[in-house]
Amino acid sequence: MSASPDQVARPRPYRLAELGLLILAIAVAASAYALVGLGTEGTIPANVYGYAGWLAALGLILHVVVWWKAKYADPVLVPIAVLLNGLGLAMIYRIDYAKDRTGVDATAFTQLIWMTLGVGLAVAVIIWVKDHRWLRRYTFLSGLAALVFLLLPLIPGLGRTINGARIWIGVGGFSFQPGELAKILLAVFFAGYLVSYRDQLVLAGPKILGIRFPRLRDFGPIVIAWVASVCILVLERDLGTSLLFFGLFVAMLYVATSRKSWIILGLGFFAVGAVAATFLFSHVEQRVSGWLNALSPEEYNKTPGGSYQLVQGLFGMANGGLSGTGLGEGRPNMVPYAESDFIYASLGEELGMAGLFVILLAYLFIFQRGIKTAQQLRDGFGTLLATGLSFTIALQVFVVVGGVTRLIPLTGLTTPFLAQGGSSLVANWVIIALLLRISDNARRPLEDFHTGVLSVTEDPDRTDASAREKTTNADDAPTTNVGPTGGER
């Protein structure tokens, strides 16, 4: 008896493939940790088995939860995230050794604790958020919460200024960067608002110079949220995150409206803002000057500021060449903030250009899988959210790598999963968890939406009096072959 077409087309979960890739990622990360010990001390670290076991436990727990709660989720995301996180831990441990930081004072130990917290939150998100469309109910609450998080560092007594940027809050002996969680909340807000007012943004409003502009009452709330976020970050002197939020805003606006004019306008606004910031803010002018005149003696020796850190990172990557000096055999500690802002340059010295290409390829896979998930989704909100989360990681990598390689000025962002920084690591693990949940919904067969495993949520904007909205809003109808904004192709 031949199988029915539905049975033939039923997607495979690929959980065993994920397990195999995860074991490979853990083996590579543990080997990198061992090679650091061999390169620095000539012997394998005594705690390598404990480290490998801890890393394996975190990866396997997340794998089991995904198999249990989101068995159709993308099988590549978890192994790549574990691989990048493991390589980052190995390099941070190597820099700890060069700076004589051991035991509980070691940055690598603290980073492993943050990874544990990040994976724990990822597990909670996968279990708690059974349907990504549920987040749409909290569109405006997410936008308000994002603004509150961004305001926290400005509160006297709570906010902390580190390296000239007031983007941290201190609680006890710990510090946290709330802007990392704000970027996730803003992605939810942008996705929910844009999918609700997509038609008004595309069709309504005046037409100026061939470009259709939305009405102010339709576009005003989202512009206010974006401007407020950027203004707060300017006050906090965190221009890297301001650039990230601006790029996220423009990218999601383009996906929602499919109008290239928004990209042109976005680039124009960015150019004007960048030039204005260079003349208005001294710290921006310092970074631009350090970028343009990095190799001049005056800029290299300037204190504070200057290009010493940038040039040392370039020299380190040049010293690594194509194949690198080998883990534990370079001198990445000569670069200030080698374990955080310049961890990409540190890895470039010891892994070489080939190693850096592999790392960039891993990030490219995360972005590609996220965009593929967005294209497979049956609802516009999920499409925008998956695109926004994927673009957040991609843009952050571009800004960091571009700054370290002197393609663009330095911005102070951290490399996702690799760099030392607990708040960034936790936020990126939450992004991975959301992408896992969204990809599970995208690949799950339609018949499973009625088995109790995943319920179909009701569109909060649906009204009986709006027949047109029923046909254009794909959040209610699980149709196949959806376009980038949820409409039928």
Side-chain angles (χ1 to χ4, degrees):
M1 181 177 178
S2 60
S4 65
D6 291 340
Q7 292 175 327
V8 174
R10 188 179 182 87
R12 296 172 57 188
Y14 290 109
R15 300 275 65 88
L16 290 179
E18 179 186 73
L19 179 60
L21 292 173
L22 182 60
I23 293 174
L24 179 60
I26 294 170
V28 171
S31 299
Y33 189 84
L35 288 173
V36 168
L38 287 173
T40 54
E41 297 180 317
T43 181
I44 296 178
N47 63 346
V48 65
Y49 297 109
Y51 165 76
W54 194 336
L55 196 64
L58 294 177
L60 291 176
I61 288 173
L62 184 56
H63 167 73
V64 170
V65 171
V66 172
W67 200 330
W68 172 39
K69 288 293 185 179
K71 69 176 182 178
Y72 289 100
D74 193 290
V76 177
L77 293 175
V78 172
I80 291 181
V82 171
L83 173 64
L84 291 171
N85 209 157
L87 289 176
L89 285 168
M91 179 51 62
I92 295 172
Y93 165 68
R94 187 264 175 276
I95 298 171
D96 280 341
Y97 176 84
K99 296 184 178 181
D100 295 325
R101 294 188 298 231
T102 58
V104 294
D105 295 329
T107 308
F109 178 77
T110 304
Q111 188 76 349
L112 187 57
I113 297 298
W114 281 112
M115 179 186 178
T116 304
L117 177 60
V119 173
L121 287 177
V123 169
V125 168
I126 294 173
I127 295 176
W128 181 47
V129 182
K130 298 181 180 180
D131 189 344
H132 66 272
R133 292 169 295 182
W134 172 79
L135 296 173
R136 188 180 172 188
R137 302 175 182 176
Y138 305 98
T139 294
F140 290 96
L141 182 61
S142 297
L144 178 61
L147 293 179
V148 171
F149 275 126
L150 293 174
L151 282 171
L152 288 178
L154 298 178
I155 299 177
L158 182 63
R160 292 183 178 179
T161 301
I162 301 177
N163 299 325
R166 192 176 179 84
I167 57 176
W168 304 86
I169 59 174
V171 180
F174 294 93
S175 59
F176 193 80
Q177 188 176 344
E180 290 290 339
L181 294 180
K183 67 185 181 183
I184 302 176
L185 294 171
L186 281 178
V188 175
F189 169 69
F190 289 156
Y193 190 90
L194 288 172
V195 77
S196 297
Y197 292 89
R198 179 177 56 237
D199 292 340
Q200 291 91 325
L201 294 175
V202 173
L203 301 178
K207 194 172 185 180
I208 304 174
L209 298 178
I211 300 177
R212 176 77 65 180
F213 288 89
R215 295 174 299 186
L216 183 60
R217 66 182 183 184
D218 298 324
F219 203 54
I222 197 170
V223 172
I224 291 173
W226 169 73
V227 170
S229 302
V230 173
C231 288
I232 291 171
L233 291 171
V234 169
L235 293 175
E236 297 171 355
R237 300 169 66 95
D238 184 19
L239 298 181
T241 308
S242 299
L243 174 60
L244 178 64
F245 285 178
F246 182 81
L248 173 66
F249 173 76
V250 174
M252 296 184 70
L253 184 59
Y254 167 70
V255 173
T257 61
S258 299
R259 290 188 178 275
K260 297 180 181 179
S261 56
W262 288 115
I263 297 181
I264 299 174
L265 286 175
L267 291 175
F269 283 131
F270 169 74
V272 172
V275 173
T278 302
F279 288 100
L280 294 176
F281 303 107
S282 59
H283 58 289
V284 178
E285 189 276 332
Q286 288 180 359
R287 291 189 177 184
V288 172
S289 178
W291 168 54
L292 296 175
N293 309 302
L295 299 178
S296 66
E298 296 81 8
E299 195 65 39
Y300 181 81
N301 296 312
K302 183 186 295 184
T303 304
S307 61
Y308 174 81
Q309 182 176 235
L310 174 60
V311 173
Q312 287 297 319
L314 293 173
F315 285 165
M317 289 187 288
N319 184 47
L322 180 61
S323 57
T325 60
L327 286 171
E329 298 183 3
R331 292 183 293 174
N333 54 297
M334 294 184 64
V335 182
Y337 305 106
E339 68 274 25
S340 54
D341 293 2
F342 275 74
I343 196 169
Y344 189 78
S346 303
L347 289 165
E349 180 178 2
E350 300 201 343
L351 296 181
M353 186 181 295
L356 293 183
F357 280 161
V358 172
I359 291 173
L360 288 180
L361 188 61
Y363 286 119
L364 182 61
F365 273 128
I366 293 179
F367 178 71
Q368 184 269 335
R369 304 303 289 190
I371 296 301
K372 182 179 180 181
T373 294
Q375 293 174 339
Q376 292 175 334
L377 281 164
R378 307 176 182 96
D379 66 288
F381 173 76
T383 297
L384 288 172
L385 183 58
T387 301
L389 296 175
S390 304
F391 190 81
T392 296
I393 292 181
L395 182 60
Q396 195 165 337
V397 172
F398 169 77
V399 170
V400 172
V401 175
V404 170
T405 58
R406 205 187 162 201
L407 178 65
I408 59 176
L410 289 171
T411 59
L413 290 177
T414 56
T415 314
F417 298 106
L418 288 177
Q420 178 252 334
S423 51
S424 174
L425 186 59
V426 168
N428 286 315
W429 273 112
V430 172
I431 289 177
I432 291 295
L434 289 174
L435 289 176
L436 287 169
R437 168 54 63 204
I438 296 172
S439 64
D440 174 68
N441 291 9
R443 298 181 64 245
R444 185 175 292 274
L446 288 177
E447 56 268 22
D448 284 10
F449 281 78
H450 305 282
T451 61
V453 177
L454 181 67
S455 59
V456 178
T457 60
E458 184 179 354
D459 186 353
D461 295 327
R462 183 175 181 179
T463 59
D464 295 335
S466 179
R468 182 182 61 83
E469 212 170 293
K470 291 180 182 179
T471 59
T472 58
N473 192 342
D475 289 290
D476 297 322
T479 58
T480 56
N481 297 326
V482 295
T485 58
E488 293 185 7
R489 276 195 288 230

